[in-house]
Amino acid sequence: MDLKIKTEKEEFHGRTCGIIKQENKFLIMRVNKTSYYHIPGGHIEIGEDSEQAIIREIKEEIGCDVQETSLFLIQENFWTRNAKKCHGIEFYYIIKPKQQLQMQDYEKIENDKGEEKLLEFKWVTAEELKNIDLKPINIRDMLINEEYLKGLSHLVERE
């Protein structure tokens, strides 16, 4: 069971995300043709720690095994979506895959707990990220400015 709570007026999400950089490009994704992109990852499952969750999510979404993880950010994120107050606690890891990944953009259908989702993956440079709606926006800026290399941070981001 995913670490999330949804009511009519509020949502809570416990998520984990993995930054993969290869040949000076970052792997980003979007789900079901949304207008924005995000970092690959997903909900932590109850009983799982954030590192176990990102290893599982990378295997499910990208199809590769993870050689190494390095936690660089814990973010408390607050936003509004469809008039709902949303709160997320997100763990961002630098991911080193066990194998070199193909450097082409691609799509795939994922069956996520009985729900089919179209996943679109795209490789982009830091310069290209400046013109892409990557959410949360502060993560995009951290990638562009290489702040992910500075070590572990804790941020609170409010819309």
Side-chain angles (χ1 to χ4, degrees), residues 20 27 29 40-41 53-67 95-102 106-110 119 121 123:
I20 298 175
L27 184 61
M29 66 179 289
I54 195 56
I55 291 169
R56 175 185 51 77
E57 286 286 347
I58 294 298
K59 181 71 171 177
E60 289 173 2
E61 291 181 350
I62 301 169
C64 74
D65 293 316
V66 173
Q67 178 176 321
I95 299 297
K96 183 177 180 186
K98 282 189 177 176
Q99 67 271 14
Q100 183 84 0
L101 302 179
Q102 294 289 326
Y106 66 98
E107 296 181 354
K108 76 178 240 186
I109 300 291
E110 179 189 43
L119 308 182
F121 294 92
W123 289 96

PDB file of all heavy atoms in Angstrom, residues 20 27 29 40-41 53-67 95-102 106-110 119 121 123:
ATOM      1  N   ILE A  20      19.023  10.625 -12.420  1.00  0.00           N
ATOM      2  CA  ILE A  20      19.972   9.852 -13.225  1.00  0.00           C
ATOM      3  C   ILE A  20      20.588  10.814 -14.238  1.00  0.00           C
ATOM      4  O   ILE A  20      19.882  11.424 -15.033  1.00  0.00           O
ATOM      5  CB  ILE A  20      19.280   8.678 -13.945  1.00  0.00           C
ATOM      6  CG1 ILE A  20      18.703   7.712 -12.917  1.00  0.00           C
ATOM      7  CG2 ILE A  20      20.263   7.977 -14.886  1.00  0.00           C
ATOM      8  CD1 ILE A  20      17.890   6.584 -13.521  1.00  0.00           C
ATOM      9  N   LEU A  27      17.674  12.326 -16.918  1.00  0.00           N
ATOM     10  CA  LEU A  27      16.484  11.610 -17.350  1.00  0.00           C
ATOM     11  C   LEU A  27      15.278  12.173 -16.588  1.00  0.00           C
ATOM     12  O   LEU A  27      15.263  12.165 -15.356  1.00  0.00           O
ATOM     13  CB  LEU A  27      16.621  10.113 -17.076  1.00  0.00           C
ATOM     14  CG  LEU A  27      15.467   9.240 -17.569  1.00  0.00           C
ATOM     15  CD1 LEU A  27      15.310   9.327 -19.082  1.00  0.00           C
ATOM     16  CD2 LEU A  27      15.676   7.793 -17.133  1.00  0.00           C
ATOM     17  N   MET A  29      10.739  12.612 -16.760  1.00  0.00           N
ATOM     18  CA  MET A  29       9.584  11.880 -17.271  1.00  0.00           C
ATOM     19  C   MET A  29       8.298  12.656 -17.040  1.00  0.00           C
ATOM     20  O   MET A  29       8.256  13.594 -16.254  1.00  0.00           O
ATOM     21  CB  MET A  29       9.479  10.509 -16.592  1.00  0.00           C
ATOM     22  CG  MET A  29       9.165  10.573 -15.111  1.00  0.00           C
ATOM     23  SD  MET A  29       9.018   8.948 -14.318  1.00  0.00           S
ATOM     24  CE  MET A  29       7.476   8.370 -14.995  1.00  0.00           C
ATOM     25  N   PRO A  40      11.986  10.720 -12.252  1.00  0.00           N
ATOM     26  CA  PRO A  40      11.454   9.370 -12.044  1.00  0.00           C
ATOM     27  C   PRO A  40      11.412   9.001 -10.560  1.00  0.00           C
ATOM     28  O   PRO A  40      12.280   9.400  -9.780  1.00  0.00           O
ATOM     29  CB  PRO A  40      12.458   8.479 -12.789  1.00  0.00           C
ATOM     30  CG  PRO A  40      13.050   9.369 -13.834  1.00  0.00           C
ATOM     31  CD  PRO A  40      13.112  10.728 -13.192  1.00  0.00           C
ATOM     32  N   GLY A  41      10.401   8.255 -10.193  1.00  0.00           N
ATOM     33  CA  GLY A  41      10.220   7.820  -8.810  1.00  0.00           C
ATOM     34  C   GLY A  41       8.761   7.578  -8.536  1.00  0.00           C
ATOM     35  O   GLY A  41       7.954   7.459  -9.460  1.00  0.00           O
ATOM     36  N   ALA A  53      12.503   2.044  -1.724  1.00  0.00           N
ATOM     37  CA  ALA A  53      11.450   2.492  -2.643  1.00  0.00           C
ATOM     38  C   ALA A  53      12.028   3.007  -3.953  1.00  0.00           C
ATOM     39  O   ALA A  53      11.509   2.689  -5.023  1.00  0.00           O
ATOM     40  CB  ALA A  53      10.585   3.562  -1.978  1.00  0.00           C
ATOM     41  N   ILE A  54      13.116   3.783  -3.906  1.00  0.00           N
ATOM     42  CA  ILE A  54      13.651   4.319  -5.160  1.00  0.00           C
ATOM     43  C   ILE A  54      14.290   3.206  -5.989  1.00  0.00           C
ATOM     44  O   ILE A  54      14.182   3.199  -7.215  1.00  0.00           O
ATOM     45  CB  ILE A  54      14.614   5.518  -4.960  1.00  0.00           C
ATOM     46  CG1 ILE A  54      14.827   6.231  -6.301  1.00  0.00           C
ATOM     47  CG2 ILE A  54      15.934   5.119  -4.345  1.00  0.00           C
ATOM     48  CD1 ILE A  54      13.590   6.711  -7.006  1.00  0.00           C
ATOM     49  N   ILE A  55      14.909   2.236  -5.340  1.00  0.00           N
ATOM     50  CA  ILE A  55      15.469   1.097  -6.075  1.00  0.00           C
ATOM     51  C   ILE A  55      14.338   0.342  -6.781  1.00  0.00           C
ATOM     52  O   ILE A  55      14.451  -0.006  -7.963  1.00  0.00           O
ATOM     53  CB  ILE A  55      16.282   0.188  -5.129  1.00  0.00           C
ATOM     54  CG1 ILE A  55      17.556   0.928  -4.695  1.00  0.00           C
ATOM     55  CG2 ILE A  55      16.609  -1.148  -5.795  1.00  0.00           C
ATOM     56  CD1 ILE A  55      18.312   0.267  -3.559  1.00  0.00           C
ATOM     57  N   ARG A  56      13.229   0.111  -6.090  1.00  0.00           N
ATOM     58  CA  ARG A  56      12.073  -0.564  -6.691  1.00  0.00           C
ATOM     59  C   ARG A  56      11.470   0.268  -7.813  1.00  0.00           C
ATOM     60  O   ARG A  56      11.183  -0.243  -8.896  1.00  0.00           O
ATOM     61  CB  ARG A  56      11.003  -0.836  -5.612  1.00  0.00           C
ATOM     62  CG  ARG A  56       9.707  -1.435  -6.174  1.00  0.00           C
ATOM     63  CD  ARG A  56       8.633  -1.580  -5.109  1.00  0.00           C
ATOM     64  NE  ARG A  56       8.395  -0.381  -4.338  1.00  0.00           N
ATOM     65  CZ  ARG A  56       7.694   0.683  -4.761  1.00  0.00           C
ATOM     66  NH1 ARG A  56       7.190   0.720  -5.979  1.00  0.00           N
ATOM     67  NH2 ARG A  56       7.517   1.729  -3.961  1.00  0.00           N
ATOM     68  N   GLU A  57      11.273   1.571  -7.578  1.00  0.00           N
ATOM     69  CA  GLU A  57      10.654   2.441  -8.586  1.00  0.00           C
ATOM     70  C   GLU A  57      11.501   2.530  -9.856  1.00  0.00           C
ATOM     71  O   GLU A  57      10.973   2.508 -10.961  1.00  0.00           O
ATOM     72  CB  GLU A  57      10.409   3.839  -8.014  1.00  0.00           C
ATOM     73  CG  GLU A  57       9.252   3.921  -7.047  1.00  0.00           C
ATOM     74  CD  GLU A  57       7.886   3.837  -7.721  1.00  0.00           C
ATOM     75  OE1 GLU A  57       7.794   3.959  -8.958  1.00  0.00           O
ATOM     76  OE2 GLU A  57       6.905   3.632  -6.992  1.00  0.00           O
ATOM     77  N   ILE A  58      12.814   2.641  -9.718  1.00  0.00           N
ATOM     78  CA  ILE A  58      13.690   2.710 -10.896  1.00  0.00           C
ATOM     79  C   ILE A  58      13.593   1.404 -11.686  1.00  0.00           C
ATOM     80  O   ILE A  58      13.525   1.418 -12.923  1.00  0.00           O
ATOM     81  CB  ILE A  58      15.153   3.015 -10.488  1.00  0.00           C
ATOM     82  CG1 ILE A  58      15.260   4.427  -9.892  1.00  0.00           C
ATOM     83  CG2 ILE A  58      16.110   2.818 -11.664  1.00  0.00           C
ATOM     84  CD1 ILE A  58      14.900   5.567 -10.816  1.00  0.00           C
ATOM     85  N   LYS A  59      13.535   0.279 -11.000  1.00  0.00           N
ATOM     86  CA  LYS A  59      13.396  -1.016 -11.682  1.00  0.00           C
ATOM     87  C   LYS A  59      12.049  -1.078 -12.406  1.00  0.00           C
ATOM     88  O   LYS A  59      11.983  -1.500 -13.569  1.00  0.00           O
ATOM     89  CB  LYS A  59      13.523  -2.153 -10.663  1.00  0.00           C
ATOM     90  CG  LYS A  59      13.414  -3.528 -11.259  1.00  0.00           C
ATOM     91  CD  LYS A  59      14.633  -3.867 -12.087  1.00  0.00           C
ATOM     92  CE  LYS A  59      14.609  -5.327 -12.498  1.00  0.00           C
ATOM     93  NZ  LYS A  59      15.722  -5.673 -13.352  1.00  0.00           N
ATOM     94  N   GLU A  60      10.954  -0.645 -11.740  1.00  0.00           N
ATOM     95  CA  GLU A  60       9.622  -0.706 -12.346  1.00  0.00           C
ATOM     96  C   GLU A  60       9.484   0.251 -13.524  1.00  0.00           C
ATOM     97  O   GLU A  60       8.951  -0.114 -14.565  1.00  0.00           O
ATOM     98  CB  GLU A  60       8.551  -0.357 -11.303  1.00  0.00           C
ATOM     99  CG  GLU A  60       8.337  -1.406 -10.255  1.00  0.00           C
ATOM    100  CD  GLU A  60       7.384  -0.970  -9.145  1.00  0.00           C
ATOM    101  OE1 GLU A  60       6.833   0.160  -9.186  1.00  0.00           O
ATOM    102  OE2 GLU A  60       7.188  -1.767  -8.213  1.00  0.00           O
ATOM    103  N   GLU A  61       9.940   1.480 -13.352  1.00  0.00           N
ATOM    104  CA  GLU A  61       9.718   2.501 -14.382  1.00  0.00           C
ATOM    105  C   GLU A  61      10.729   2.439 -15.507  1.00  0.00           C
ATOM    106  O   GLU A  61      10.374   2.592 -16.672  1.00  0.00           O
ATOM    107  CB  GLU A  61       9.724   3.904 -13.750  1.00  0.00           C
ATOM    108  CG  GLU A  61       8.522   4.149 -12.865  1.00  0.00           C
ATOM    109  CD  GLU A  61       8.495   5.532 -12.245  1.00  0.00           C
ATOM    110  OE1 GLU A  61       9.493   6.275 -12.332  1.00  0.00           O
ATOM    111  OE2 GLU A  61       7.451   5.878 -11.657  1.00  0.00           O
ATOM    112  N   ILE A  62      11.994   2.268 -15.177  1.00  0.00           N
ATOM    113  CA  ILE A  62      13.062   2.351 -16.182  1.00  0.00           C
ATOM    114  C   ILE A  62      13.546   0.968 -16.605  1.00  0.00           C
ATOM    115  O   ILE A  62      14.070   0.794 -17.695  1.00  0.00           O
ATOM    116  CB  ILE A  62      14.216   3.234 -15.650  1.00  0.00           C
ATOM    117  CG1 ILE A  62      13.662   4.624 -15.352  1.00  0.00           C
ATOM    118  CG2 ILE A  62      15.374   3.295 -16.623  1.00  0.00           C
ATOM    119  CD1 ILE A  62      14.577   5.516 -14.589  1.00  0.00           C
ATOM    120  N   GLY A  63      13.381  -0.005 -15.724  1.00  0.00           N
ATOM    121  CA  GLY A  63      13.775  -1.368 -16.071  1.00  0.00           C
ATOM    122  C   GLY A  63      15.234  -1.663 -15.822  1.00  0.00           C
ATOM    123  O   GLY A  63      15.783  -2.603 -16.399  1.00  0.00           O
ATOM    124  N   CYS A  64      15.881  -0.878 -14.969  1.00  0.00           N
ATOM    125  CA  CYS A  64      17.292  -1.140 -14.689  1.00  0.00           C
ATOM    126  C   CYS A  64      17.517  -1.328 -13.191  1.00  0.00           C
ATOM    127  O   CYS A  64      16.741  -0.857 -12.369  1.00  0.00           O
ATOM    128  CB  CYS A  64      18.181  -0.026 -15.232  1.00  0.00           C
ATOM    129  SG  CYS A  64      18.138   1.503 -14.305  1.00  0.00           S
ATOM    130  N   ASP A  65      18.593  -2.028 -12.888  1.00  0.00           N
ATOM    131  CA  ASP A  65      18.985  -2.219 -11.505  1.00  0.00           C
ATOM    132  C   ASP A  65      19.852  -1.041 -11.069  1.00  0.00           C
ATOM    133  O   ASP A  65      20.522  -0.407 -11.887  1.00  0.00           O
ATOM    134  CB  ASP A  65      19.757  -3.531 -11.344  1.00  0.00           C
ATOM    135  CG  ASP A  65      18.870  -4.738 -11.597  1.00  0.00           C
ATOM    136  OD1 ASP A  65      17.727  -4.753 -11.094  1.00  0.00           O
ATOM    137  OD2 ASP A  65      19.323  -5.665 -12.296  1.00  0.00           O
ATOM    138  N   VAL A  66      19.841  -0.774  -9.779  1.00  0.00           N
ATOM    139  CA  VAL A  66      20.583   0.350  -9.212  1.00  0.00           C
ATOM    140  C   VAL A  66      21.852  -0.171  -8.538  1.00  0.00           C
ATOM    141  O   VAL A  66      21.793  -1.080  -7.719  1.00  0.00           O
ATOM    142  CB  VAL A  66      19.698   1.118  -8.197  1.00  0.00           C
ATOM    143  CG1 VAL A  66      20.496   2.183  -7.476  1.00  0.00           C
ATOM    144  CG2 VAL A  66      18.488   1.718  -8.911  1.00  0.00           C
ATOM    145  N   GLN A  67      22.976   0.430  -8.899  1.00  0.00           N
ATOM    146  CA  GLN A  67      24.255   0.060  -8.295  1.00  0.00           C
ATOM    147  C   GLN A  67      24.491   0.837  -7.012  1.00  0.00           C
ATOM    148  O   GLN A  67      25.005   0.298  -6.037  1.00  0.00           O
ATOM    149  CB  GLN A  67      25.386   0.324  -9.282  1.00  0.00           C
ATOM    150  CG  GLN A  67      26.763   0.017  -8.742  1.00  0.00           C
ATOM    151  CD  GLN A  67      27.823   0.205  -9.799  1.00  0.00           C
ATOM    152  OE1 GLN A  67      27.618  -0.134 -10.961  1.00  0.00           O
ATOM    153  NE2 GLN A  67      28.958   0.740  -9.410  1.00  0.00           N
ATOM    154  N   ILE A  95      21.184   8.563  -8.461  1.00  0.00           N
ATOM    155  CA  ILE A  95      21.147   7.138  -8.789  1.00  0.00           C
ATOM    156  C   ILE A  95      22.257   6.803  -9.776  1.00  0.00           C
ATOM    157  O   ILE A  95      22.430   7.486 -10.787  1.00  0.00           O
ATOM    158  CB  ILE A  95      19.786   6.776  -9.441  1.00  0.00           C
ATOM    159  CG1 ILE A  95      18.634   7.058  -8.489  1.00  0.00           C
ATOM    160  CG2 ILE A  95      19.780   5.326  -9.941  1.00  0.00           C
ATOM    161  CD1 ILE A  95      18.643   6.246  -7.229  1.00  0.00           C
ATOM    162  N   LYS A  96      22.986   5.747  -9.472  1.00  0.00           N
ATOM    163  CA  LYS A  96      23.952   5.201 -10.418  1.00  0.00           C
ATOM    164  C   LYS A  96      23.432   3.832 -10.847  1.00  0.00           C
ATOM    165  O   LYS A  96      23.428   2.883 -10.052  1.00  0.00           O
ATOM    166  CB  LYS A  96      25.333   5.070  -9.778  1.00  0.00           C
ATOM    167  CG  LYS A  96      26.384   4.567 -10.735  1.00  0.00           C
ATOM    168  CD  LYS A  96      27.754   4.513 -10.085  1.00  0.00           C
ATOM    169  CE  LYS A  96      28.764   3.992 -11.084  1.00  0.00           C
ATOM    170  NZ  LYS A  96      30.074   3.786 -10.461  1.00  0.00           N
ATOM    171  N   PRO A  97      22.950   3.717 -12.091  1.00  0.00           N
ATOM    172  CA  PRO A  97      22.466   2.418 -12.577  1.00  0.00           C
ATOM    173  C   PRO A  97      23.621   1.415 -12.713  1.00  0.00           C
ATOM    174  O   PRO A  97      24.777   1.801 -12.886  1.00  0.00           O
ATOM    175  CB  PRO A  97      21.882   2.741 -13.956  1.00  0.00           C
ATOM    176  CG  PRO A  97      21.680   4.218 -13.969  1.00  0.00           C
ATOM    177  CD  PRO A  97      22.748   4.781 -13.069  1.00  0.00           C
ATOM    178  N   LYS A  98      23.286   0.124 -12.657  1.00  0.00           N
ATOM    179  CA  LYS A  98      24.298  -0.923 -12.824  1.00  0.00           C
ATOM    180  C   LYS A  98      24.806  -0.985 -14.249  1.00  0.00           C
ATOM    181  O   LYS A  98      25.924  -1.434 -14.490  1.00  0.00           O
ATOM    182  CB  LYS A  98      23.737  -2.281 -12.414  1.00  0.00           C
ATOM    183  CG  LYS A  98      23.688  -2.476 -10.922  1.00  0.00           C
ATOM    184  CD  LYS A  98      23.327  -3.893 -10.556  1.00  0.00           C
ATOM    185  CE  LYS A  98      23.359  -4.039  -9.039  1.00  0.00           C
ATOM    186  NZ  LYS A  98      22.914  -5.377  -8.623  1.00  0.00           N
ATOM    187  N   GLN A  99      23.979  -0.548 -15.199  1.00  0.00           N
ATOM    188  CA  GLN A  99      24.386  -0.592 -16.595  1.00  0.00           C
ATOM    189  C   GLN A  99      24.149   0.770 -17.257  1.00  0.00           C
ATOM    190  O   GLN A  99      23.364   1.562 -16.765  1.00  0.00           O
ATOM    191  CB  GLN A  99      23.618  -1.687 -17.364  1.00  0.00           C
ATOM    192  CG  GLN A  99      22.133  -1.440 -17.519  1.00  0.00           C
ATOM    193  CD  GLN A  99      21.280  -1.999 -16.371  1.00  0.00           C
ATOM    194  OE1 GLN A  99      21.788  -2.359 -15.313  1.00  0.00           O
ATOM    195  NE2 GLN A  99      19.986  -2.047 -16.581  1.00  0.00           N
ATOM    196  N   GLN A 100      24.849   1.005 -18.349  1.00  0.00           N
ATOM    197  CA  GLN A 100      24.656   2.221 -19.143  1.00  0.00           C
ATOM    198  C   GLN A 100      23.252   2.187 -19.740  1.00  0.00           C
ATOM    199  O   GLN A 100      22.822   1.166 -20.264  1.00  0.00           O
ATOM    200  CB  GLN A 100      25.716   2.277 -20.249  1.00  0.00           C
ATOM    201  CG  GLN A 100      25.697   3.510 -21.098  1.00  0.00           C
ATOM    202  CD  GLN A 100      26.452   4.667 -20.469  1.00  0.00           C
ATOM    203  OE1 GLN A 100      26.991   4.546 -19.378  1.00  0.00           O
ATOM    204  NE2 GLN A 100      26.468   5.791 -21.140  1.00  0.00           N
ATOM    205  N   LEU A 101      22.515   3.285 -19.646  1.00  0.00           N
ATOM    206  CA  LEU A 101      21.165   3.350 -20.194  1.00  0.00           C
ATOM    207  C   LEU A 101      21.195   3.874 -21.623  1.00  0.00           C
ATOM    208  O   LEU A 101      22.079   4.657 -21.983  1.00  0.00           O
ATOM    209  CB  LEU A 101      20.285   4.254 -19.329  1.00  0.00           C
ATOM    210  CG  LEU A 101      20.147   3.855 -17.865  1.00  0.00           C
ATOM    211  CD1 LEU A 101      19.266   4.846 -17.125  1.00  0.00           C
ATOM    212  CD2 LEU A 101      19.585   2.445 -17.735  1.00  0.00           C
ATOM    213  N   GLN A 102      20.227   3.446 -22.425  1.00  0.00           N
ATOM    214  CA  GLN A 102      20.079   3.978 -23.780  1.00  0.00           C
ATOM    215  C   GLN A 102      19.773   5.466 -23.684  1.00  0.00           C
ATOM    216  O   GLN A 102      18.959   5.880 -22.870  1.00  0.00           O
ATOM    217  CB  GLN A 102      18.935   3.262 -24.507  1.00  0.00           C
ATOM    218  CG  GLN A 102      19.188   1.793 -24.762  1.00  0.00           C
ATOM    219  CD  GLN A 102      20.246   1.565 -25.823  1.00  0.00           C
ATOM    220  OE1 GLN A 102      20.363   2.333 -26.765  1.00  0.00           O
ATOM    221  NE2 GLN A 102      21.039   0.521 -25.652  1.00  0.00           N
ATOM    222  N   TYR A 106      11.894   7.808 -24.988  1.00  0.00           N
ATOM    223  CA  TYR A 106      10.996   6.683 -25.262  1.00  0.00           C
ATOM    224  C   TYR A 106       9.740   6.769 -24.403  1.00  0.00           C
ATOM    225  O   TYR A 106       9.671   7.550 -23.459  1.00  0.00           O
ATOM    226  CB  TYR A 106      11.708   5.348 -25.046  1.00  0.00           C
ATOM    227  CG  TYR A 106      12.102   5.062 -23.607  1.00  0.00           C
ATOM    228  CD1 TYR A 106      11.305   4.258 -22.802  1.00  0.00           C
ATOM    229  CD2 TYR A 106      13.265   5.589 -23.059  1.00  0.00           C
ATOM    230  CE1 TYR A 106      11.648   3.989 -21.484  1.00  0.00           C
ATOM    231  CE2 TYR A 106      13.624   5.321 -21.751  1.00  0.00           C
ATOM    232  CZ  TYR A 106      12.815   4.525 -20.965  1.00  0.00           C
ATOM    233  OH  TYR A 106      13.168   4.270 -19.672  1.00  0.00           O
ATOM    234  N   GLU A 107       8.759   5.948 -24.768  1.00  0.00           N
ATOM    235  CA  GLU A 107       7.507   5.832 -24.027  1.00  0.00           C
ATOM    236  C   GLU A 107       7.284   4.379 -23.668  1.00  0.00           C
ATOM    237  O   GLU A 107       7.764   3.480 -24.355  1.00  0.00           O
ATOM    238  CB  GLU A 107       6.317   6.286 -24.886  1.00  0.00           C
ATOM    239  CG  GLU A 107       6.330   7.725 -25.275  1.00  0.00           C
ATOM    240  CD  GLU A 107       5.109   8.114 -26.114  1.00  0.00           C
ATOM    241  OE1 GLU A 107       4.310   7.223 -26.495  1.00  0.00           O
ATOM    242  OE2 GLU A 107       4.966   9.302 -26.405  1.00  0.00           O
ATOM    243  N   LYS A 108       6.534   4.169 -22.589  1.00  0.00           N
ATOM    244  CA  LYS A 108       6.130   2.817 -22.239  1.00  0.00           C
ATOM    245  C   LYS A 108       4.847   2.877 -21.422  1.00  0.00           C
ATOM    246  O   LYS A 108       4.541   3.896 -20.804  1.00  0.00           O
ATOM    247  CB  LYS A 108       7.226   2.061 -21.501  1.00  0.00           C
ATOM    248  CG  LYS A 108       7.414   2.455 -20.057  1.00  0.00           C
ATOM    249  CD  LYS A 108       8.487   1.623 -19.396  1.00  0.00           C
ATOM    250  CE  LYS A 108       7.927   0.866 -18.225  1.00  0.00           C
ATOM    251  NZ  LYS A 108       8.901   0.147 -17.442  1.00  0.00           N
ATOM    252  N   ILE A 109       4.113   1.788 -21.448  1.00  0.00           N
ATOM    253  CA  ILE A 109       2.903   1.664 -20.637  1.00  0.00           C
ATOM    254  C   ILE A 109       3.287   0.922 -19.363  1.00  0.00           C
ATOM    255  O   ILE A 109       3.924  -0.135 -19.422  1.00  0.00           O
ATOM    256  CB  ILE A 109       1.794   0.876 -21.380  1.00  0.00           C
ATOM    257  CG1 ILE A 109       1.415   1.571 -22.687  1.00  0.00           C
ATOM    258  CG2 ILE A 109       0.580   0.666 -20.483  1.00  0.00           C
ATOM    259  CD1 ILE A 109       0.690   2.875 -22.531  1.00  0.00           C
ATOM    260  N   GLU A 110       2.920   1.487 -18.220  1.00  0.00           N
ATOM    261  CA  GLU A 110       3.173   0.847 -16.934  1.00  0.00           C
ATOM    262  C   GLU A 110       1.842   0.477 -16.306  1.00  0.00           C
ATOM    263  O   GLU A 110       0.902   1.275 -16.318  1.00  0.00           O
ATOM    264  CB  GLU A 110       3.935   1.800 -15.994  1.00  0.00           C
ATOM    265  CG  GLU A 110       4.184   1.175 -14.631  1.00  0.00           C
ATOM    266  CD  GLU A 110       4.740   2.166 -13.609  1.00  0.00           C
ATOM    267  OE1 GLU A 110       4.246   3.308 -13.541  1.00  0.00           O
ATOM    268  OE2 GLU A 110       5.641   1.767 -12.869  1.00  0.00           O
ATOM    269  N   LEU A 119       4.042   6.392 -19.646  1.00  0.00           N
ATOM    270  CA  LEU A 119       5.247   7.050 -19.142  1.00  0.00           C
ATOM    271  C   LEU A 119       6.080   7.505 -20.331  1.00  0.00           C
ATOM    272  O   LEU A 119       6.382   6.706 -21.215  1.00  0.00           O
ATOM    273  CB  LEU A 119       6.065   6.098 -18.274  1.00  0.00           C
ATOM    274  CG  LEU A 119       5.352   5.384 -17.129  1.00  0.00           C
ATOM    275  CD1 LEU A 119       6.336   4.520 -16.355  1.00  0.00           C
ATOM    276  CD2 LEU A 119       4.657   6.376 -16.222  1.00  0.00           C
ATOM    277  N   PHE A 121       9.726   9.237 -21.255  1.00  0.00           N
ATOM    278  CA  PHE A 121      11.054   9.535 -20.729  1.00  0.00           C
ATOM    279  C   PHE A 121      11.823  10.385 -21.728  1.00  0.00           C
ATOM    280  O   PHE A 121      11.765  10.147 -22.928  1.00  0.00           O
ATOM    281  CB  PHE A 121      11.816   8.238 -20.438  1.00  0.00           C
ATOM    282  CG  PHE A 121      11.193   7.441 -19.338  1.00  0.00           C
ATOM    283  CD1 PHE A 121      10.254   6.458 -19.621  1.00  0.00           C
ATOM    284  CD2 PHE A 121      11.524   7.679 -18.017  1.00  0.00           C
ATOM    285  CE1 PHE A 121       9.666   5.726 -18.614  1.00  0.00           C
ATOM    286  CE2 PHE A 121      10.945   6.953 -16.996  1.00  0.00           C
ATOM    287  CZ  PHE A 121      10.006   5.979 -17.291  1.00  0.00           C
ATOM    288  N   TRP A 123      15.674  12.634 -22.219  1.00  0.00           N
ATOM    289  CA  TRP A 123      17.014  13.017 -21.767  1.00  0.00           C
ATOM    290  C   TRP A 123      17.232  14.485 -22.108  1.00  0.00           C
ATOM    291  O   TRP A 123      17.058  14.875 -23.265  1.00  0.00           O
ATOM    292  CB  TRP A 123      18.078  12.164 -22.454  1.00  0.00           C
ATOM    293  CG  TRP A 123      18.097  10.743 -21.986  1.00  0.00           C
ATOM    294  CD1 TRP A 123      17.485   9.685 -22.573  1.00  0.00           C
ATOM    295  CD2 TRP A 123      18.759  10.237 -20.829  1.00  0.00           C
ATOM    296  NE1 TRP A 123      17.732   8.542 -21.852  1.00  0.00           N
ATOM    297  CE2 TRP A 123      18.509   8.850 -20.770  1.00  0.00           C
ATOM    298  CE3 TRP A 123      19.533  10.824 -19.825  1.00  0.00           C
ATOM    299  CZ2 TRP A 123      19.015   8.039 -19.763  1.00  0.00           C
ATOM    300  CZ3 TRP A 123      20.038  10.013 -18.811  1.00  0.00           C
ATOM    301  CH2 TRP A 123      19.786   8.648 -18.784  1.00  0.00           C
TER     302      TRP A 123
END
